[in-house]
Amino acid sequence: MKSTGPKHPVDPQADDAVDARLLDDAIASIAPSLSDMLMRQWERDRKSKAEAKPLPARATLRSLVQALPTPWLAALAKILGARNGRRSERGIAVAQALKDTPYLHRTVVDTFGADERHLLDSVLFRGGIEKASTSMRRYGSDEADGWFWVERPPRSIMGRVRLHGLAFVGTQVISGRRHRMLVIPEELREPLRTILAATRDALWQ
């Protein structure tokens, strides 16, 4: 008769340890993607809430800049080199720096591409303000743009224009309905018209 040899007793603790390791490995593989998904949702919620605020009665640079969320103001201040001081002081410095004609010219001509210039042209043609949905139909959605603009600058056409302080987003009531609007500050409209016209003339030469 053939011997089957001694039977090894089952160790339930060893099985539990294997199951625990397998569970840890599964969680480790899921956790990063879940964390990223939750973070992206949190950023979208914060962005939507910030953009739902009503635009000021007059779209002046100072009022629009001061209404920016801190991460967006920090990104704009970094671009303009106005990062010192308290938030209110930084906002004033940013609003003043945005009026600088060489900065506007450099941004529109050298930094922006044709799409950003066309977007500015379109908004200016409508008096300096238009529905954000209209801009997105023409130039793409800004939905993928996040909350932390210093670490991850916006990549959409509308987002890039906003990142450089040439347009802002807020809401306005039209015919009894609240709409998300894209607005160019009052002080920048004429300088931008001049720069864009000169850019068009240069391209046609």
Side-chain angles (χ1 to χ4, degrees):
M1 183 176 176
K2 189 175 180 181
S3 173
T4 58
K7 292 184 178 180
H8 296 288
V10 176
D11 184 352
Q13 291 185 344
D15 287 346
D16 288 346
V18 171
D19 290 343
R21 285 197 299 273
L22 291 173
L23 180 61
D24 285 345
D25 290 343
I27 291 173
S29 66
I30 294 172
S33 60
L34 179 61
S35 175
D36 289 345
M37 183 177 68
L38 292 173
M39 176 57 75
R40 285 196 297 271
Q41 184 59 52
W42 181 87
E43 290 193 46
R44 281 194 294 267
D45 291 344
R46 291 298 298 268
K47 181 171 177 279
S48 295
K49 189 174 293 186
E51 293 174 347
K53 293 180 179 178
L55 289 170
R58 287 194 59 199
T60 63
L61 265 172
R62 186 165 179 176
S63 62
L64 292 167
V65 168
Q66 293 290 14
L68 285 174
T70 298
W72 301 355
L73 177 60
L76 182 51
K78 180 180 178 181
I79 289 173
L80 291 164
R83 287 181 284 176
N84 297 327
R86 293 175 298 180
R87 178 191 160 87
S88 59
E89 296 169 344
R90 194 160 62 241
I92 293 170
V94 164
Q96 187 62 37
L98 283 171
K99 299 176 186 178
D100 181 58
T101 301
Y103 168 76
L104 295 176
H105 187 275
R106 186 169 63 251
T107 302
V108 170
V109 175
D110 299 330
T111 303
F112 287 170
D115 285 339
E116 288 87 355
R117 289 193 287 270
H118 289 159
L119 184 149
L120 288 171
D121 246 343
S122 173
V123 179
L124 288 169
F125 180 75
R126 288 166 175 78
I129 184 168
E130 75 173 8
K131 293 177 183 176
S133 58
T134 301
S135 296
M136 288 192 294
R137 278 197 299 272
R138 294 193 182 100
Y139 305 103
S141 173
D142 67 339
E143 186 178 351
D145 295 338
W147 177 253
F148 298 105
W149 286 8
V150 172
E151 295 81 3
R152 293 187 299 280
R155 300 181 66 181
S156 70
I157 300 302
M158 192 162 74
R160 281 170 48 78
V161 173
R162 296 173 62 190
L163 173 66
H164 288 83
L166 304 194
F168 297 76
V169 167
T171 60
Q172 189 177 79
V173 175
I174 302 174
S175 301
R177 295 184 59 187
R178 187 167 293 279
H179 294 271
R180 182 169 172 253
M181 307 296 292
L182 183 67
V183 60
I184 295 174
E186 294 176 0
E187 300 94 322
L188 301 188
R189 294 173 188 175
E190 282 308 313
L192 286 175
R193 285 190 181 100
T194 301
I195 293 168
L196 288 165
T199 304
R200 285 194 299 272
D201 291 343
L203 290 173
W204 282 103
Q205 287 178 359

